């Protein structure tokens, strides 16, 4: 009888292990994929679109490099090489992210995957049809080579993501098994699957990989480079022999025969090119510009169409960023006082015709936001002793930034700011805000364009009322990128986009490790073990409730830290397009998706 029990146990264990190792067509951060195993296409594409025609995009900047994966590329890499906004035109990841789900991946280079419940490993089973643009097959050796190369010579975040891998090995003819170390979390397998390119081992010179280059690369994606004009223009042409054009994740996508990316030194020049017809799509982020700048013949004739889209995503955070590496911003009371001194109501009324809403949470307008919501017992237990570092009004859901009288000099609020600055070690003496040694509180706001400078000027005016000396310096794009990579600034204006599935990108923005890494996105310079702990909470969350409360806790910590002077958001996307450029009728969760648009003149 005992032998039968043992045999039965081993049989059941074999079945369980087999079930755990069943290949999966899709994986989700929490729960299961929304689309069935036999889905034909994403719901936000036109599966019957006729491919052809062309599109011309415009970007502000320049380029002298076609390798976007190295540190030297951060300032001047050509767009489109590895660019989700336009589609990954040249290189591809193993899996592709659905734009209609918080964080779900479906097959691309990897036809299926296998993993365990603890996500200690993931096995990628490559599509045997996958080919490079030169006709050679995509192999497990390419995957292993890529991850080793980017780990050793790639820039962050690619290199930091790959530090989570303990081992890699080829399994069978088409598979790669990746096992993770203690640095990994539950999001790590999805990041590896969706956010890293796969490069051709046979076409990469490892010795020169970390040097800038204009050599035309070989990729597995739908496009190849047709021509380049360094610093000015890059033209991509669609490959007729692209291996994956009939995959469900690729149906209705990559619809143009030719894609041109044009580079401009200023946004005003880019918009003029759009008006003339040299650029086909103009995403607009300025309410004033959107309301006032389109009174020209192409719009009135219908040749250009203005459209408003309403995605279902969190607000994100745009703000004046304190570089806390600078001594004058090390004290939270100083940062809070400088935050209160910013008169949002004046700015919104006088510069933006009241179009914006004040942002008061990094995940505002979503269930992940802590704004207006008291921490419940489950969240308090998750916070533990860290809750004592969170401001009481943020913890109980009553936090709200002060609303000024819109005069630009609201005395009541400015008095509160002065009191906070005093707690931070500054007092007004002889019409100057000075420290105990008599040194005036002064700093520079580094801006990268006229719009940012326009925002900074009224802020400077308010601070001057408090005896604070502020200078504004606007620099060109290359100098701005160089200074931000090296954290050579006092204050900058930055946007922190948010999603319904925040994860490893928050490590790059807020972790202690990132604060010390050149070129990271931790512009604030936060190096706080409690912040690191709160990040780990949502990275390791298994249930939807744990994940929600972990993100809310993190949101409360960031709000309480006053690391940014919050600016504004708008719950819309604006884009103007030539009438021949069309898009599907279904808007995905994350908003419009340019790779699914097409040239209607080709129909």
């Amino acid at each position: 009888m005992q032998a039968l029990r043992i045999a039965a146990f081993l049989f059941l264990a074999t079945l369980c292990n087999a079930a755990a190792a069943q290949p999966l067509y899709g994986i989700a951060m929490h729960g299961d994929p929304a689309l069935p195993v036999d889905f034909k296409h994403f719901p936000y594409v036109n599966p019957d679109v006729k491919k052809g025609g062309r599109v011309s995009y415009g970007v502000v900047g320049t380029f002298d490099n076609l390798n976007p994966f190295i540190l030297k590329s951060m300032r001047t890499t050509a767009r489109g090489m590895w660019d989700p906004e336009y589609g990954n035109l040249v290189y591809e990841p193993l899996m592709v992210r659905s734009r209609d789900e918080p964080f779900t991946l479906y097959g691309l280079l990897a036809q299926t995957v296998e993993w365990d419940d603890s996500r200690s490993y993931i096995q990628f089973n490559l599509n045997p049809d996958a080919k490079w643009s030169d006709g050679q097959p995509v192999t497990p050796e390419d995957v292993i080579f890529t991850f080793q190369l980017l780990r050793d010579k790639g820039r962050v975040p690619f290199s930091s993501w790959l530090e989570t891998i303990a081992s890699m090995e080829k399994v069978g003819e088409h598979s790669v098994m990746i096992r993770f170390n203690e640095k990994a979390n539950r999001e790590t397998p999805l990041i590896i699957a969706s956010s890293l390119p796969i490069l051709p081992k046979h076409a990469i010179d490892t010795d020169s990989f970390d040097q800038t280059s204009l050599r035309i690369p070989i990729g597995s994606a739908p496009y190849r480079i047709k021509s380049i004009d360094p610093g000015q223009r890059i033209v991509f042409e669609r490959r007729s022999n692209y291996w994956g054009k009939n995959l469900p994740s690729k149906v209705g996508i990559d619809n143009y025969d030719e894609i041109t990316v044009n580079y401009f030194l200023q946004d005003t020049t880019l918009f003029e090119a759009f008006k003339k017809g040299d650029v086909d799509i103009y995403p607009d982020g300025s309410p004033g510009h959107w309301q006032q700048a389109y009174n020209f013949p192409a719009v009135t004739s219908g040749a250009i169409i203005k459209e408003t889209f309403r995605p279902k995503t969190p607000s994100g955070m745009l703000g004046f960023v304190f570089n806390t590496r600078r001594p004058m911003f090390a004290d939270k009371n100083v940062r809070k006082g400088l935050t209160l001194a910013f008169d949002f109501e004046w700015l919104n009324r006088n510069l933006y015709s009241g179009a914006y809403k004040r942002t008061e949470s990094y995940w505002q307008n979503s269930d992940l936001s802590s704004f207006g919501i008291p921490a419940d017992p489950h969240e308090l237990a998750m916070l533990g002793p860290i809750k004592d570092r969170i401001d009481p009004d943020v913890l109980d859901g009553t936090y709200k930034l002060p609303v000024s009288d819109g005069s630009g000099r609201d005395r009541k609020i400015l008095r509160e700011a002065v009191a906070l600055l005093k707690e931070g070690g500054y007092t007004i003496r002889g019409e100057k805000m000075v420290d105990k040694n008599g040194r005036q509180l002064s700093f520079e706001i580094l801006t990268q364009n006229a719009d940012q400078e326009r925002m900074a000027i009224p802020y400077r005016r308010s601070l001057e009322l408090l005896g604070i000396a502020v200078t504004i310096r606007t620099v060109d794009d290359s100098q701005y990128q160089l200074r931000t990579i090296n954290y050579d600034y006092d204050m900058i204006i930055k946007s922190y986009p948010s999603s319904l599935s925040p994860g490893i990108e928050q490590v790059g923005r807020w972790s202690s490790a990132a604060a010390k890494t050149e070129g990271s996105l931790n512009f604030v310079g936060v190096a706080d073990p409690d912040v690191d702990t709160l990040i780990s909470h949502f990275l390791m969350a298994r249930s939807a409730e744990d994940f929600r409360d972990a993100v809310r806790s993190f949101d409360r910590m960031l709000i309480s830290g006053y690391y940014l002077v919050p600016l504004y958001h708008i719950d819309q996307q604006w884009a103007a397009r030539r009438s021949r450029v069309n898009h599907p009728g279904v808007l995905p969760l994350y908003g419009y998706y340019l790779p699914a648009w097409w040239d209607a003149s080709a129909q």
Side-chain angles (χ1 to χ4, degrees):
M1 181 63 69
Q2 181 68 14
L4 287 174
R5 290 195 187 100
I6 293 173
F9 173 80
L10 292 174
F11 177 72
L12 290 173
T14 301
L15 287 179
C16 290
N17 288 336
Q22 285 299 308
L24 303 170
Y25 71 99
I27 51 177
M29 183 63 194
H30 299 103
D32 297 317
L35 300 177
V37 64
D38 60 348
F39 83 99
K40 304 302 182 185
H41 57 81
F42 287 131
Y44 49 84
V45 306
N46 175 3
D48 301 318
V49 65
K50 181 180 178 182
K51 298 181 184 292
R54 57 182 174 77
V55 71
S56 180
Y57 297 125
V59 298
V60 175
T62 185
F63 76 95
D64 61 4
N65 180 37
L66 297 179
N67 183 354
F69 311 117
I70 58 175
L71 184 62
K72 292 180 180 180
S73 74
M74 294 186 72
R75 292 184 289 132
T76 55
T77 298
R79 295 283 297 273
M81 307 298 297
W82 181 250
D83 191 342
E85 182 182 359
Y86 300 147
N88 296 320
L89 303 181
V90 174
Y91 299 110
E92 292 179 310
L94 290 159
M95 303 185 78
V96 63
R97 185 170 182 170
S98 168
R99 297 276 298 181
D100 212 33
E101 301 173 59
F103 196 1
T104 299
L105 309 181
Y106 296 93
L108 187 57
L109 285 173
Q111 190 172 35
T112 60
V113 299
E114 302 168 35
W115 62 3
D116 60 342
D117 183 62
S118 63
R119 303 185 184 180
S120 65
Y121 74 86
I122 187 167
Q123 179 173 311
F124 296 104
N125 303 315
L126 299 183
N127 192 315
D129 294 330
K131 298 286 193 302
W132 299 108
S133 58
D134 63 0
Q136 294 202 34
V138 178
T139 66
E141 287 82 2
D142 290 319
V143 177
I144 294 171
F145 165 80
T146 297
F147 291 171
Q148 291 173 337
L149 181 64
L150 294 180
R151 179 196 62 200
D152 298 338
K153 292 195 172 186
R155 65 173 174 86
V156 292
F158 303 110
S159 57
S160 56
W161 289 336
L162 291 164
E163 290 175 354
T164 61
I165 294 178
S167 65
M168 296 179 283
E169 63 176 314
K170 180 179 178 179
V171 179
E173 187 178 355
H174 298 294
S175 300
V176 178
M177 168 69 76
I178 294 178
R179 300 188 185 277
F180 299 105
N181 58 33
E182 69 282 353
K183 296 180 182 179
N185 56 67
R186 291 185 63 77
E187 188 191 34
T188 300
L190 287 88
I191 292 294
I192 298 297
S194 64
S195 301
L196 289 163
I198 303 303
L199 308 175
K201 180 179 180 180
H202 68 279
I204 299 290
D205 179 5
T206 56
D207 292 336
S208 62
F209 180 76
D210 55 358
Q211 303 299 312
T212 59
S213 172
L214 289 174
R215 179 185 175 189
I216 303 299
I218 291 172
S220 65
Y223 290 84
R224 63 164 61 92
I225 293 176
K226 179 180 180 181
S227 64
I228 59 172
D229 183 1
Q232 303 292 322
R233 181 178 300 102
I234 181 168
V235 180
F236 302 87
E237 61 179 355
R238 190 160 54 85
R239 296 167 46 205
S240 60
N241 62 342
Y242 171 55
W243 70 273
K245 57 187 174 184
N246 295 320
L247 293 177
S249 60
K250 279 295 186 178
V251 170
I253 297 173
D254 310 313
N255 299 319
Y256 306 104
D257 282 347
E258 187 173 282
I259 296 175
T260 301
V261 181
N262 296 290
Y263 290 76
F264 301 90
L265 294 180
Q266 296 179 329
D267 189 68
T268 52
T269 312
L270 191 164
F271 187 66
E272 289 301 315
F274 172 69
K275 290 167 64 175
K276 291 193 308 180
D278 295 335
V279 171
D280 294 322
I281 301 171
Y282 184 81
D284 201 324
S286 168
H289 190 269
W290 184 248
Q291 293 169 7
Q292 303 167 14
Y294 293 83
N295 185 22
F296 54 91
V299 177
T300 55
S301 70
I304 286 178
I305 298 172
K306 294 177 64 183
E307 284 194 274
T308 298
F309 303 89
R310 296 184 182 276
K312 300 175 183 177
T313 51
S315 63
M317 178 66 75
L318 171 70
F320 290 94
V321 177
F322 297 106
N323 185 356
T324 62
R325 302 172 183 86
R326 299 290 204 245
M328 65 278 197
F329 295 146
D331 191 288
K332 171 185 167 179
N333 288 308
V334 172
R335 301 195 300 269
K336 185 174 181 179
L338 295 173
T339 297
L340 265 58
F342 177 74
D343 193 331
F344 167 75
E345 283 67 36
W346 186 96
L347 184 88
N348 195 33
R349 184 183 66 194
N350 289 279
L351 298 189
Y352 305 120
S353 304
Y356 285 120
K357 298 177 183 177
R358 188 78 189 268
T359 306
E360 298 180 271
S361 162
Y362 287 76
W363 282 271
Q364 201 159 327
N365 301 331
S366 80
D367 196 40
L368 300 179
S369 174
S370 67
F371 183 61
I373 299 174
D376 61 18
H378 181 263
E379 186 184 342
L380 291 172
M382 185 177 291
L383 276 164
I386 298 176
K387 68 178 182 297
D388 298 330
R389 293 192 56 199
I390 294 178
D391 291 350
D393 59 341
V394 177
L395 202 61
D396 65 21
T398 61
Y399 159 82
K400 189 170 180 59
L401 289 167
V403 178
S404 78
D405 59 14
S407 66
R409 52 178 66 235
D410 188 309
R411 293 182 179 277
K412 179 182 177 181
I413 295 176
L414 291 178
R415 279 196 295 269
E416 293 179 39
V418 169
L420 286 163
L421 288 164
K422 186 174 182 179
E423 290 185 45
Y426 289 91
T427 56
I428 295 179
R429 189 186 309 162
E431 298 186 348
K432 293 183 178 180
M433 184 71 69
V434 298
D435 64 14
K436 62 182 180 180
N437 297 315
R439 291 176 299 211
Q440 186 178 19
L441 176 56
S442 60
F443 60 89
E444 178 186 87
I445 302 175
L446 182 67
T447 58
Q448 59 184 139
N449 53 51
D451 285 341
Q452 288 190 355
E453 184 176 340
R454 193 169 174 234
M455 285 192 291
I457 289 172
Y459 186 33
R460 177 179 63 185
R461 187 165 57 242
S462 295
L463 294 175
E464 286 174 343
L465 296 173
L466 303 181
I468 300 170
V470 177
T471 58
I472 300 170
R473 183 182 298 275
T474 301
V475 297
D476 62 37
D477 184 67
S478 60
Q479 186 178 353
Y480 181 86
Q481 295 300 330
L482 180 62
R483 289 187 60 175
T484 53
I485 287 170
N486 295 316
Y487 312 122
D488 181 20
Y489 52 85
D490 299 330
M491 176 179 279
I492 55 177
I493 299 171
K494 279 291 179 182
S495 174
Y496 290 72
S498 58
S499 76
L500 294 170
S501 184
I504 197 68
E505 79 282 353
Q506 304 300 323
V507 174
R509 295 176 186 178
W510 302 106
S511 72
S512 300
K516 304 167 187 175
T517 303
E518 182 185 15
S520 84
L521 302 181
N522 192 339
F523 300 111
V524 175
V526 175
D528 186 330
D530 287 342
V531 171
D532 297 337
T533 296
L534 294 182
I535 292 173
S536 71
H537 284 175
F538 61 78
L539 290 179
M540 300 306 293
R542 292 195 175 214
S543 72
E545 181 187 17
D546 285 349
F547 180 73
R548 180 200 65 197
D549 286 354
V551 177
R552 285 181 180 175
S553 297
F554 183 57
D555 190 34
R556 295 184 204 276
M557 190 72 168
L558 296 184
I559 293 169
S560 297
Y562 286 90
Y563 298 120
L564 281 76
V565 179
L567 288 172
Y568 48 72
H569 68 275
I570 199 159
D571 58 357
Q572 301 174 357
Q573 294 175 328
W574 299 313
R577 59 180 170 87
R578 305 235 155 252
S579 59
R580 67 175 178 79
V581 176
N582 212 336
H583 59 76
V586 176
L587 183 72
L589 186 68
Y590 281 98
Y592 68 80
Y593 184 49
L594 292 177
W597 292 22
W598 65 88
D599 185 345
S601 67
Q603 302 301 296

